[in-house]
Amino acid sequence: MSEYKFVKWFEELGKEDVPLVGGKGANLGELTNAGIPVPPGFCVTAEAYKYFVNNVKVSKNDIERIMSEKAKSGVLADVLAAAPEEARPLQDWIMDIVSRTNVDDSRELLDNTALIRELIDSMPMPKEIADEVLDAYHKLSQRFGKDAVYVAVRSSATAEDLPEASFAGQQETYLDVYGDEDLLENVRMCWASLWTARATFYRAKQGFDHRRVYLSAVVQKMVNSETSGVMFTANPVTNDRNEIMINGAWGLGEAVVSGAVSPDEYIVEKGTWKIKEKYIAEKEVMYVRNPETGKGTVLVKVVDFLGPEYVKKQVLTEEQIIEVAQMGAKIEAHYQYPQDIEWAYDKDDGKLYIVQSRPITTLKEVKTEEAEEVTEEMEVVLKGLGASPGVGAGKVVIILDVNDIDKVKEGDVLVTTMTNPDMVPAMKRASAIVTDEGGRTCHAAIVGRELGIPTVVGTKEATKKLKDGMLITVDGTRGVVYKGVVKSLVKEEKEKAESRVVVAGAPLITATEVKVNVSMPEVAERAAATGADGVGLLRAEHMILGIGAHPVKFIKEGREEELVNKLVEGIRKVVEAFYPRRVWYRTLDAPTNEFRELPGGEDEPIERNPMLGWRGIRRGLDQPEILKAEFKAIKRLVDEGYDNIGVMLPLVSHPEQIRTAKEIALSVGLVPHKDVEWGVMVETPASALIIEDLIKEGLDFISFGTNDLTQYTLAIDRDNERVFKLYDEKHPAVLKLIENVIKTCKKYGVETSICGQAGSDPKMVRKLVRMGIDSVSANPDAVELIRKTVAREEARVRLEAARKALE
């Protein structure tokens, strides 16, 4: 059909053409020829990229002229010094740079891959390729009776002789590209995106030869989307192949794919086409063509672009839901395998279009290896609450007695009724954690998130259904436990981990500080690497309980100095990792049931409800010897020059408690407000209601403990999975208490923060920013998301203020 050397129309391609046009291009050709309504287009083949890098010749003088500033130092200077005088192919320069790059050094990787991309961007596209691309673009435009049309330019990478290689998500896509110059520039930008830091790191870790990896640029007529989204032809949560899950939102599909919006969700039964479930989300934003430039996309508010009624309006009609589902079933039947499909309705003609389809890899069937109980059938054996994201697999070890934790070896799955601090050593060795009880703010959830261990809580029957030695796979994101080792899930998780590289770009600066919660000194470096502005909560419990005996036992046996030294060692690791960023240390807050199992804990009282019992500052003042040991440790660190420490008292409900704690600090030479910042946790309605009285005792800061504040305000045990559905930090009563405290603290110049689980919830954080909170402290895995949330909300506040000023 085509006379082109470097261009192939979709009609000329099929699924066997992955080596020529990558998986994306091959699938679009396959769908087109199967009669699926795919927006027309063509692929600039991998041969074009190969021709470009092998035939464009570059000399030393060329590089020094176009990259004079960067040629003066760094890897390029070394490359230039070693290169021959004569001009040579662009590919040789690229390989020289990448071969000198240590991919494990994120800064070096970032700088050197940026150098390669700049080099590619600086080189003109060979005329023989440009002529074919523009001729094909003009013919595509003429199909619609126009001189030019809007197109999407999408990267589709492939590897020579390695058709099974997958590079999904590693390169770039450009939407609403218009006109000859814009098209050629974006094709070249796609080529350059083969050398992003992430893509280069991924290939290096997967063992791919950089010289044999190429890129095809897919050029496809742009759908002017009214609505769009993603469809799975097998339910990815329940793994039910008789159900189709559809996610939809307003505007371009970029919002759904990127996670910028919470989409509507519809569950449709195959064959009967019954709509079994509908979840209508609040869709606050949408991607649209940039109205100012007419090119590219911008994120806008739905309320501004479409109107307030569209925020909660159902995206698809009942008829459209069924049409999308039936189209998905047709595509699945063609491929004979469940598919992950991107779809869109065009506002110009009202028709449904399919813009991409690929297999759901987590459902891929392979032969079962009975010896290892490896499976791809993904048989669900348990469901609970996804409490710490990720996937872990291994042998089940059921722990019903803390004395048995040594049974948990490296890589085992820890299964228990509910974890406690004594189990932390075993938790650190586990590949995943599963509990009978608990909600997303329980001990297992908090520690799992901090250690980065996949965790599912509240399954009700894990210790009964699972058996010692059984192999399972735990999906801590979805809250599902599968029988056997699900190879594809484990492989996918491994690839995510290996391709995850911290690339230091321009820092995102927010007026509201974004801090991090730390429970154990061992995670200090990892927590500091998130770029958090400090530690909003350093818990004492795991440091004290992790020393192997009740702290009173140390003191009674004349070993107070040993206890203090252990505290100094633990706290030092954190304040040193974050210096000069501030670290707020919360004094011991361990319920009696957590102390009882420790050597020396035999005299601990048995309380009907330890969460309402002898804990926090009330215990600290009753056993001042423990509080003294903590203050002595902090005093020693202050004397060592660490001036970034704050002391935070937990469960305060009366001014007298602040006054007495200060007296104990002074008795060991630790001066509040001078040596350390002094603050309290606001985690009871009492402290929230008398906040002014507490401030008058002298406070530098307060921090909301929303886990306890919510349970005490709503009378809900946060670790009880039967009532956890009623637990809501955004309950109006909780929000009113928080807002009142923030206003009062502003009045007296006291800094406000939050360190409960709500600090990791974007919806809650948006509310807190509007209330004027000074900082939020999130779990390590949520810092990046929360910083972006804070930045967006601060921008919204500024925009609203500017608009109001213009009225």
Side-chain angles (χ1 to χ4, degrees), residues 50-116:
K50 191 188 302 186
Y51 183 90
F52 170 65
V53 294
N54 286 322
N55 287 276
V56 170
K57 299 288 183 70
V58 186
S59 69
K60 281 186 175 183
N61 289 337
D62 292 331
I63 289 182
E64 288 172 341
R65 185 176 66 254
I66 62 177
M67 306 175 79
S68 57
E69 290 303 313
K70 292 188 178 180
K72 292 176 181 176
S73 62
V75 69
L76 189 57
D78 295 336
V79 170
L80 284 168
E85 292 300 323
E86 66 271 13
R88 57 193 188 129
L90 179 59
Q91 178 80 333
D92 290 352
W93 291 101
I94 293 172
M95 289 304 120
D96 279 356
I97 294 171
V98 77
S99 66
R100 294 172 184 266
T101 301
N102 176 9
V103 297
D104 292 313
D105 183 330
S106 59
R107 184 72 255 172
E108 183 178 317
L109 178 63
L110 177 71
D111 289 343
N112 293 353
T113 51
L115 206 58
I116 294 172

Side-chain angles (χ1 to χ4, degrees), residues 498-627:
E498 289 177 343
S499 63
R500 191 179 296 124
V501 56
V502 179
V503 176
L508 189 60
I509 305 299
T510 57
T512 309
E513 288 189 331
V514 178
K515 301 179 180 179
V516 66
N517 299 330
V518 175
S519 291
M520 289 157 284
E522 296 90 335
V523 301
E525 293 294 339
R526 174 174 170 257
T530 64
D533 295 317
V535 176
L537 170 62
L538 171 58
R539 295 181 177 92
E541 293 77 65
H542 295 300
M543 279 185 281
I544 290 179
L545 297 175
I547 61 181
H550 198 298
V552 172
K553 179 178 173 67
F554 278 86
I555 295 166
K556 283 182 177 179
E557 294 176 354
R559 298 161 60 198
E560 184 196 34
E561 184 65 15
E562 185 180 342
L563 174 63
V564 171
N565 285 337
K566 287 182 179 292
L567 286 172
V568 168
E569 289 170 14
I571 300 170
R572 185 193 287 121
K573 286 181 183 178
V574 183
V575 294
E576 189 173 275
F578 278 86
Y579 194 85
R581 292 170 284 177
R582 293 179 297 166
V583 174
W584 288 347
Y585 170 88
R586 185 181 72 184
T587 59
L588 184 63
D589 182 19
T592 52
N593 58 322
E594 295 183 359
F595 270 92
R596 194 176 303 118
E597 301 298 331
L598 289 173
E602 299 82 7
D603 295 331
E604 284 293 309
I606 296 176
E607 298 179 311
R608 184 169 296 176
N609 189 339
M611 294 298 285
L612 293 173
W614 200 37
R615 53 173 290 213
I617 192 62
R618 57 183 73 155
R619 180 182 188 129
L621 298 182
D622 285 348
Q623 291 185 316
E625 61 272 25
I626 299 177
L627 200 55

